[in-house]
Amino acid sequence: STITLAHSLGRIVVAEGVEDPVSLEQLQEMGCDQAQGWLYARPMAPDDAARFALEAAATGGMPGADALA
């Protein structure tokens, strides 16, 4: 798989466009390292993204972030 190939090259795999917990679980089962998408947050302006990241760090992270840990 693409995930296996990336890992064999020493790369971290980030899945984009993850929209629901079922998809996240499937990615975890396939060995995906990280995910991003609507499951975590909608697209936002750079200033909003910075604020979102700071708030997530202050509160212990984003919903579902531990699923791929």
Side-chain angles (χ1 to χ4, degrees), residues 46-58:
D47 288 344
D48 294 334
R51 198 169 15 264
F52 178 84
L54 290 171
E55 289 174 10

Side-chain angles (χ1 to χ4, degrees), residues 35-62:
Q36 63 184 35
W38 283 85
L39 178 63
Y40 299 104
R42 61 175 177 69
M44 59 186 82
D47 288 344
D48 294 334
R51 198 169 15 264
F52 178 84
L54 290 171
E55 289 174 10
T59 60
M62 296 181 293

Side-chain angles (χ1 to χ4, degrees), residues 7 12-16 18 24 27 31-36 40 65 68:
H7 286 161
I12 293 172
V13 178
V14 180
E16 296 186 17
V18 179
L24 182 63
L27 289 162
C32 188
D33 301 303
Q34 299 177 6
Q36 63 184 35
Y40 299 104
L68 290 176

Side-chain angles (χ1 to χ4, degrees), residues 8-32:
S8 74
L9 297 171
R11 302 296 180 188
I12 293 172
V13 178
V14 180
E16 296 186 17
V18 179
E19 296 183 6
D20 57 73
V22 173
S23 297
L24 182 63
E25 185 176 335
Q26 291 171 340
L27 289 162
Q28 180 182 17
E29 290 170 2
M30 290 186 282
C32 188

